[in-house]
Amino acid sequence: MKKLIDDLYKYNNLEDDKLLELLKVMDKEDIAYLKSKALDTRKLYYGDKVYLRGLIEFTNYCSKNCIYCGIQSGNKYAKRYRLTLEQILKCCEIGYSLGYRTFVLQGGEDKYYTDEKIVEIIYEIKNKYPDCAITLSIGEKSYDSYKRYFEAGADRYLLRHETADKDLFESIHPRASFENRMNCLKNLKEIGYQVGAGFMIGLPNQTYEHYVKDLRFLKEFDPHMIGVGPFIPHKDTLLKDEKAGSLELTTILLAIIRLLLPKVLLPATTALGTIDPMGREEALKAGANVVMPNLSPIDVREKYSLYDGKICTGDEAAECRMCIENRIKKTGFTLDSSRGDHVMYNKELALGGLYESNTKS
Ligand code: SAM
């Protein structure tokens, strides 16, 4: 195993059958070695810095019916809410004063927020906080919509591919198209966003072979960010009695991802902090370099219930900020409050590319 890990460290790649072998055969000692190599690799590009993102969950209305998700349209028990532009700007104001320089706007696929409304939100935030990055995470849209948001000032887009296996994807996303999800990711990259893909770990019927497909897809697609977290059941969904993904497998996959894509921005997710009180710390020790504390107003946090037991629903933004900084320091890292772009990204160049492709078409 040590030889495979050394190869992965040295070449930032490994054949599929060897990745599968790693996942199936590693013992405790191998896992510790893998994580130490992942840590060395993150230090090469990001030192001991951990980037901060302020998450604003601005709507839990959703037209999709992802069977694992608590805010799926079919959940009649979900208490729905939407934030106004003023409420979103208030979250940014609080976040900015606490040192946040990236705002992540996340929500269900909610048609109430037309392209015009999303563009207005982006303009207003950029106008007030030009030194901040905006990340969108609002699902599958057309090429033109993505382009409008980008030109309005959005910098990054998170759209987890969820699983790179078409059959598994279609079994958990009724009436959704795997090809469309993948095409959206391709479009986002072409437009020039810093793009985030990613997947859940521990879904029912998910196998090591599925994870190898995810790893291969990520290596080939080469996103700027990768969101990986455990699946956690939600009481109002079909999967309510299933087991959650494990901390061990999630941190192993994080470490392998760090070695496959050494420069990637890799969050220690809230879902991991939910299945284990030290989950985010363990993720940082396995190569993660981003944290995403919640900036949503406290009275809506419980309502953005993707899975059961979500942490930090009762804490003020300032408390979350303090808590996360302490956790990062105690784990031996430093919180970095800059925008925290991918080391290889240049928006001017990306915009240049976009205008060039516009003049060609
Ligand atoms: N609608 C947008 C989209 O589809 O990308 C963003 C919102 S969606 C709720 C954000 C992410 O939550 C999904 O990509 C999914 O991986 C994650 N998620 C949803 N339900 C979950 C669950 N039960 N356990 C863990 N993660 C979950």
Side-chain angles (χ1 to χ4, degrees):
M1 282 302 111
K2 191 165 174 294
K3 161 95 174 72
L4 289 188
I5 296 167
D6 283 337
D7 284 352
L8 179 56
Y9 173 66
K10 196 162 157 198
Y11 304 113
N12 303 125
N13 209 348
L14 211 55
E15 286 95 2
D16 287 1
D17 56 337
K18 294 186 175 146
L19 287 171
L20 190 61
E21 199 181 329
L22 272 190
L23 288 174
K24 284 186 170 169
V25 184
M26 276 193 299
D27 62 18
K28 288 244 170 302
E29 212 175 289
D30 301 323
I31 295 170
Y33 187 63
L34 172 85
K35 289 182 185 173
S36 75
K37 288 301 191 189
L39 206 52
D40 289 349
T41 303
R42 73 92 81 195
K43 283 189 177 156
L44 267 181
Y45 298 101
Y46 293 101
D48 63 0
K49 288 180 198 160
V50 177
Y51 295 122
L52 194 62
R53 322 292 194 207
L55 179 63
I56 305 171
E57 301 154 332
F58 70 100
T59 171
N60 71 351
Y61 282 85
C62 191
S63 57
K64 289 273 172 71
N65 249 320
C66 312
I67 67 165
Y68 47 83
C69 183
I71 63 167
Q72 60 183 271
S73 64
N75 181 6
K76 58 181 188 300
Y77 302 108
K79 295 189 183 98
R80 305 287 170 177
Y81 73 91
R82 293 185 174 107
L83 297 187
T84 61
L85 173 62
E86 290 65 36
Q87 285 175 303
I88 294 172
L89 288 173
K90 187 72 196 167
C91 295
C92 296
E93 184 190 322
I94 294 170
Y96 194 87
S97 71
L98 292 169
Y100 288 88
R101 293 297 177 267
T102 289
F103 300 118
V104 180
L105 296 170
Q106 191 181 87
E109 292 197 14
D110 181 0
K111 294 193 172 53
Y112 167 85
Y113 293 94
T114 56
D115 285 354
E116 288 67 32
K117 286 199 170 84
I118 296 289
V119 163
E120 188 190 6
I121 293 169
I122 297 167
Y123 269 135
E124 289 292 330
I125 297 177
K126 279 284 175 170
N127 191 26
K128 284 206 158 71
Y129 308 104
D131 54 334
C132 289
I134 296 181
T135 304
L136 296 177
S137 177
I138 52 176
E140 295 172 31
K141 305 274 177 182
S142 69
Y143 185 94
D144 285 344
S145 299
Y146 286 150
K147 193 153 84 112
R148 284 183 71 181
Y149 310 153
F150 187 70
E151 287 173 332
D155 303 275
R156 309 182 189 134
Y157 205 105
L158 300 177
L159 185 79
R160 288 183 174 183
H161 63 283
E162 310 296 3
T163 166
D165 183 85
K166 179 175 157 66
D167 291 339
L168 182 61
F169 183 94
E170 291 179 354
S171 72
I172 55 177
H173 300 104
R175 289 179 300 286
S177 150
F178 175 70
E179 285 75 20
N180 190 55
R181 190 111 186 147
M182 290 303 194
N183 207 31
C184 284
L185 280 166
K186 194 178 110 270
N187 289 343
L188 289 163
K189 206 163 187 205
E190 189 180 311
I191 289 166
Y193 284 94
Q194 292 176 67
V195 182
F199 59 102
M200 271 175 291
I201 293 161
L203 286 163
N205 303 320
Q206 205 174 15
T207 62
Y208 288 133
E209 283 76 7
H210 287 136
Y211 300 127
V212 171
K213 272 194 178 179
D214 287 312
L215 296 172
R216 183 57 51 208
F217 164 69
L218 291 170
K219 179 68 190 170
E220 282 167 8
F221 181 63
D222 194 19
H224 303 84
M225 309 172 281
I226 297 179
V228 166
F231 153 74
I232 305 175
H234 184 285
K235 62 180 174 21
D236 301 327
T237 66
L238 269 179
L239 305 185
K240 62 177 187 296
D241 297 322
E242 300 290 343
K243 261 178 49 196
S246 74
L247 173 66
E248 178 164 271
L249 185 55
T250 307
T251 51
I252 288 173
L253 283 160
L254 284 170
I256 295 179
I257 290 170
R258 169 59 65 207
L259 291 169
L260 284 171
L261 293 104
K263 298 174 192 144
V264 82
L265 294 161
L266 195 59
T269 60
T270 305
L272 204 51
T274 298
I275 60 161
D276 189 291
M278 297 301 278
R280 286 169 296 176
E281 286 84 339
E282 290 303 315
L284 294 176
K285 291 195 264 173
N289 63 340
V290 173
V291 288
M292 248 192 246
N294 205 318
L295 277 181
S296 312
I298 287 197
D299 60 324
V300 303
R301 295 229 194 130
E302 293 261 6
K303 296 180 191 154
Y304 198 81
S305 169
L306 309 181
Y307 46 78
D308 293 337
K310 186 177 157 203
I311 51 170
C312 311
T313 50
D315 300 345
E316 292 289 349
E319 284 173 69
C320 281
R321 170 71 176 71
M322 285 283 290
C323 165
I324 207 75
E325 182 160 8
N326 286 335
R327 285 171 180 271
I328 289 168
K329 277 190 189 155
K330 274 195 193 151
T331 320
F333 296 96
T334 326
L335 189 141
D336 185 301
S337 305
S338 66
R339 274 173 51 118
D341 288 302
H342 186 275
V343 277
M344 303 302 285
Y345 185 77
N346 180 329
K347 182 148 187 180
E348 299 310 314
L349 281 182
L351 274 169
L354 183 66
Y355 292 136
E356 224 171 77
S357 74
N358 281 348
T359 44
K360 271 188 220 146
S361 59

